[in-house]
Amino acid sequence: MIVTLTPNPSVDRTLVVDQLALGAVQRASSGWSEPSGKGVNVSLALRTHGIATRAVLPIGGLNGTRLAAMLDKAGIDHVNVPITGNIRTNVSILEPDGKVTKVNEPGPTLSADEVEALLDATLRAAAQASWLVGSGSLPHGASPDLYARLVQRAHEAGLRVAIDSSGPPLLMALPSGPDLIKPNAHELAEAAGRPVTTVGQAIVAARSLQERGARTVLASLGADGALLVEEGSVLHAEVIVENTQSAVGAGDALLSGFLAGGASGQLALRTALTWAATALQQPGTLLGADIDEDSFKLIFHDRPQPLRRLRAD
C-alpha cells in the first residue's frame, strides 16, 4: 500500500487548440476534466498498474464533490477530509506540438483545525503502508512546515516518506530526514541555492540536500531524463520519446514508477522512466496501463557525465 497526501488537490480542465493566440477568442477542438493534484496523480498511476494505493485529500464545495465522484469512477480508494472552502479548478491549454499553457487557481484557505485533521487522517490511512507520499503545493492557511511535521510523525510510526514539493515546504522538510525527495532541475537549484545547468551541478546540488537531511534524491531533468542520487551511488538515465503529447503529470508518473519499482537502484529508475515516457505520450494526466517499449528509447549512462549541459528543467 502506498498512501498519498495531496493538500491542495484540483479538478483539472484540459482544452486542445490548434494554436494558442493570446487576447483572441478561440475554439477548442476537444476538452476533458480529470481529478488532479500531484499526490492524486501518483495514486492514479499506481492504481492503473494494479498497485494498492490510498489518496488522502481535503474535499469541499461543488468542485470537491465533483473531484470525489471522479476518484470513485477511477477506482481510487480515497479518504476525504471535509473543509469549508471550495476545491480549485486548474486549466491546461494544449497545442498539437505538446506545448502546454497551465493556469492554476490558488485553492481554498484551510483553517488550523482542518490542517490538523488532514495530517491526522493521513497518518491513520497510512498505518499499514509501505510508503507515504506528501506531494504538491500547500493550501492557504497551511504552515510551510506541514511536510516537516508529516515526515516526523510518519517516522515515529515507522513509515517511509517521499516528499515532492518546492520552496519553503521542501526546505523545512529536509531536517526531518525524508526518505526520498523528487525535485525537478529548477526546484533542485532553488533548494540547493546554486545553479544547475550541468549533470555535475545537479549531482552536487543533490548531495547538498542529502547533507541537509534527504536520504535519496530522485531529480527529474526534463529532456535529460532523471538523476538518482543514493548513499554511495549515482545513476543517470534518459528516455527518448518521439511522439510527445504533453509533459503534464510526467514527473508524478516518474515518482510513481520509482516507488513501484522498489524505490532504489537501476530497476526502480528504469521503471520510473518507463512510466514517465508513457505519460509523455498521452494528452492528459491519467496514465494508461499499456506500455509500448518500442515507442521510446531508454539510455542508461554507466558513468554520469558531469560536464554535460542540461537541455531542460
Side-chain angles (χ1 to χ4, degrees):
M1 170 69 71
I2 296 174
V3 172
T4 64
L5 166 62
T6 309
N8 200 15
S10 65
V11 174
D12 272 18
R13 180 69 178 166
T14 300
L15 301 174
V16 180
V17 299
D18 291 335
Q19 183 176 8
L20 178 62
L22 297 179
V25 176
Q26 296 176 256
R27 294 185 183 276
S29 59
S30 62
W32 60 88
S33 296
E34 299 171 305
S36 194
K38 293 182 70 63
V40 169
N41 294 343
V42 170
S43 281
L44 287 166
L46 292 168
R47 172 67 176 81
T48 297
H49 288 278
I51 295 171
T53 184
R54 178 176 297 135
V56 183
L57 62 164
I59 290 291
L62 292 176
N63 282 342
T65 300
R66 188 181 181 198
L67 176 58
M70 288 178 168
L71 292 174
D72 287 337
K73 185 176 180 180
I76 297 293
D77 177 7
H78 56 103
V79 176
N80 302 336
V81 179
I83 62 170
T84 57
N86 188 31
I87 294 302
R88 61 183 177 156
T89 297
N90 296 333
V91 178
S92 295
I93 302 175
L94 176 62
E95 298 177 70
D97 62 358
K99 184 192 304 180
V100 178
T101 301
K102 205 166 191 296
V103 182
N104 292 345
E105 287 187 343
T109 298
L110 272 61
S111 69
D113 287 344
E114 288 171 338
V115 172
E116 287 305 314
L118 189 62
L119 278 174
D120 290 343
T122 302
L123 271 297
R124 288 195 300 271
Q128 303 300 320
S130 58
W131 278 92
L132 172 57
V133 179
S135 193
S137 63
L138 301 185
H140 293 297
S143 169
D145 69 350
L146 185 146
Y147 286 136
R149 290 189 288 149
L150 179 72
V151 174
Q152 291 167 358
R153 292 181 60 179
H155 281 174
E156 290 170 359
L159 297 169
R160 292 178 293 176
V161 190
I163 299 296
D164 183 3
S165 192
S166 61
L170 172 60
L171 290 175
M172 295 185 74
L174 293 176
S176 299
D179 300 276
L180 170 67
I181 60 172
K182 195 218 70 64
N184 60 29
H186 173 75
E187 293 162 348
L188 184 61
E190 179 186 52
R194 63 181 72 215
V196 174
T197 59
T198 68
V199 172
Q201 289 176 339
I203 294 171
V204 171
R207 289 294 191 203
S208 74
L209 299 189
Q210 286 183 313
E211 292 171 359
R212 295 165 68 178
R215 297 179 185 176
T216 296
V217 180
L218 173 66
S220 53
L221 303 179
D224 291 283
L227 183 71
L228 175 61
V229 182
E230 299 179 289
E231 184 177 355
S233 70
V234 176
L235 289 173
H236 177 218
E238 58 186 310
V239 62
I240 300 173
V241 180
E242 293 185 2
N243 183 29
T244 297
Q245 294 290 313
S246 170
V248 175
D252 303 323
L254 184 84
L255 175 57
S256 307
F258 186 74
L259 296 176
S264 180
Q266 188 172 114
L267 176 59
L269 186 56
R270 178 180 295 276
T271 306
L273 284 168
T274 297
W275 287 27
T278 302
L280 288 168
Q281 296 175 77
Q282 299 174 169
T285 58
L286 295 180
L287 183 65
D290 296 330
I291 294 177
D292 180 7
E293 296 196 6
D294 293 329
S295 65
F296 58 87
K297 183 178 181 181
L298 188 60
I299 302 171
F300 267 86
H301 301 287
D302 293 333
R303 295 182 180 178
Q305 303 163 301
L307 298 180
R308 173 175 165 175
R309 295 194 66 83
L310 300 178
R311 292 167 287 178
D313 289 343

